[in-house]
Amino acid sequence: MATRQWFSSALRQCRTALSQQQRQQPSQLQHQQQVKQLSTTAPSAAGLRQIANNPTSAAGSVLGVESETSRVKNEVLRGIYVESHQRKAPAGGKQKSLPSGVNDMRVVATTDLYVKEMAKRRWRSGDVYAPRDLSAGEAVKWRRPSGQRKDTVDMLGIHPLDNYRNFTLISEYMTSFGRIKHSSDTGLRPVNQRKIAKTIRRAIGLGIHPSVHFHPELLRLKKRDLPKIVLSPKKGSSSGNAASQ
Amino acid sequence: MATSRSVSPGGALLRASRLFSVPAPIPPPSPEIGFFGSVTATTAFPTHQVITTLNSSRRRGDWGLKRPLPLRSTTKGKTAMIRVKQIDSIEHITDYSTATDHGLTLQKFQELRLPVTLPQVDKGDYGNTFITTTRLGLPRLVKSAFEEDGDSTTADPADISKRDMRWKFSGPWLAGMMPGAFEKWMAKNVRPRRAEFREFLRKRLAEEMNTQALLKAEDSEGLGAAAPIDPPSITEDQIIEYLRKLRYNNMELYDMVGQFLDLAPLAPARLSDMAKEVLKRGVRLKKSDSPYADRGPPITHPSAGISYLRTNMYLDNHPVYGPQAVHPAVRARVLRPRKKGLGLNSDAKLGVAGFAVDTPFGESPLNQGSIAYKALEVFNPTIKGGASIFVQPLSATVDPSGRVVPVVGDVTMDMSRLIAQELIGKEKVFVESLKTKEKKEPPMRPIQSRSPRNRTPSWRTSSGQAYGTDKL
């Protein structure tokens, strides 16, 4: 690292170009170099090391997705830190160093990427962790929503068939295209799943709830830039016409 | 005298054996309501007894169970700890797994030597509850979990005011019940007891009338004390009249219902939050002194048996520096840094002795984003071993779900941090003052990864490289 102080600016430009190339087409030797720079035994960063050693297979196992985008993301993560590390010791005397804000933004972006990809676990005070909980394998399990759920109808003690006019309830248990959700999606036990399905069919059959989307009032509340529908008689217009602004 | 059943010698041996002393597993901690989680994550508390064995027995697979356990999986690690889910299953195997996650966590926690306190709630200006800390970083008004006035499970029927100061109640905590569970409880446990409640009211009415009669007798200067009224002598009309009065006296009625059903104490609704509801429904609760009124009673003893210390007012004695003014600082892992910028800001989470804890509440350098605590703000993958900071553990508390929550504060004295760092070999406080050259010991042999790429044949490495002495 100390030798970089004597590099000329032209050589520095070559180096930045090379680092960019490294990000796109990493070779194994460069991998090992970068791994040494990022040498850490942190269990929380074990995933990163795994990725560094085995970009293709580790990305697939750690992130559960074997795709180009995930590999690029990992390289970007590594590359950002390698670069920022290099930039901290600027080569040569007079150089146009980047404004400190850019480096800060990069660091913040790294943190955000780490928290988004690796540290998804929702830590609660009083949680007990062992080294295994900080490993990449466990971190992956916190990214995916688990199918286990509690039966919300039992928890709330509601009688679905008595709530056929409760549009929030109806919309809650249907998809955005108006299809009744499967029990693996709702987490309800079979009895309650049938009751909810019957309630939805009843509401749609009566014509009080749409069959292909959520209730318009809910859509309006969720997306506030929809025009308001105000039922008030305009002056001079026939009664019974709804006025829309 | 009860007839004692005679036990055979074999039976006596088994009863006295350690195998039979393994307790039944306890119910697991309540799972978090949410969509994201891992089934294999370490639970908040262990449910099975942790079993250990001697080294010599371990090498033979002998754990005192029905059959020896396989050596490959039980002799690898340094610590000998397993938990046995089934001593003998239908497939004729012993269902066991390693228990070092909870066993070592307990060991680490006991090294902290923390006292367990009751959940401390302190009502701020706007009715919010939080744990306050003094300037020195000590929690204010902590009460040990072993204080005699709160450490009981039986309610003294004579003293009704002390009924609330228990940690175990037969009835539920209504504020923590979901509506569905509440309806079920009402149908199953409450409705069948209507007649019983009426009898209870009869007794209470009799007591009230007696006390009134006694007061009258005192006032009228001993004109003649009336005979004590028997509960059966009270008529139905009197009870109906009493019930009518109680309908307008919520506090007393709730108190009676709570006593009859042995309900856990409830905190009265804060007017700032629920003013309209309180006025609308007219339900008013008495203010309770119980520390569990806000969050609910614990599922275990308030200490959960994790520590039996009643105070942290003991002196630490360092072998070199003598008595210490403050307890030693402890290295805490940064589990999650505070997100800034792109995402939402969240609280940083620290890990102390295997427990996830919050950063100290209130004003402290840890919370003010100082440069020294950059590790709490952003993630830095270049830090070897992960980011860590030094904190001062103060006490521990057990929340209603059974989770142990250590409370940590900021390190008040820099010297304690230096001494703690010296203990792990990162600082030299004592040696510097002596100014003597210390003999350098050769570092331990580096652990080599077993992948074929990293393995070099032994004839290629020099002895210095193998011992690690070539990099001095």
Side-chain angles (χ1 to χ4, degrees), chain B residues 105 139 187 189 193 215 255 264 287 367 375:
Chain B
T105 303
N189 298 47
R193 298 180 71 185
L215 282 170
D255 211 36
K287 191 180 181 297
N367 287 335

Side-chain angles (χ1 to χ4, degrees), chain A residues 51-158:
Chain A
I51 291 160
N53 285 333
N54 253 329
T56 44
S57 61
S61 65
V62 166
L63 299 174
V65 170
E66 288 193 47
S67 68
E68 205 68 30
T69 50
S70 64
R71 195 154 43 107
V72 166
K73 262 193 234 169
N74 301 330
E75 253 98 77
V76 164
L77 181 69
R78 210 176 48 248
I80 283 173
Y81 241 89
V82 166
E83 258 197 49
S84 66
H85 202 69
Q86 289 168 358
R87 277 184 211 272
K88 270 173 193 167
K94 298 170 198 171
Q95 268 145 47
K96 195 177 160 189
S97 60
L98 287 170
S100 59
V102 175
N103 204 25
D104 287 346
M105 274 172 63
R106 280 165 172 264
V107 168
V108 164
T110 315
T111 308
D112 220 62
L113 201 63
Y114 164 72
V115 172
K116 249 199 294 181
E117 300 287 333
M118 296 300 300
K120 274 233 153 171
R121 176 160 178 174
R122 282 103 167 121
W123 290 104
R124 255 182 72 182
S125 295
D127 274 350
V128 171
Y129 68 91
R132 188 176 47 84
D133 293 286
L134 304 173
S135 66
E138 277 293 323
V140 170
K141 292 179 187 177
W142 283 86
R143 289 164 53 87
R144 278 191 286 265
S146 60
Q148 285 181 354
R149 277 195 209 186
K150 282 193 165 179
D151 189 321
T152 42
V153 169
D154 274 345
M155 261 164 55
L156 296 170
I158 51 179

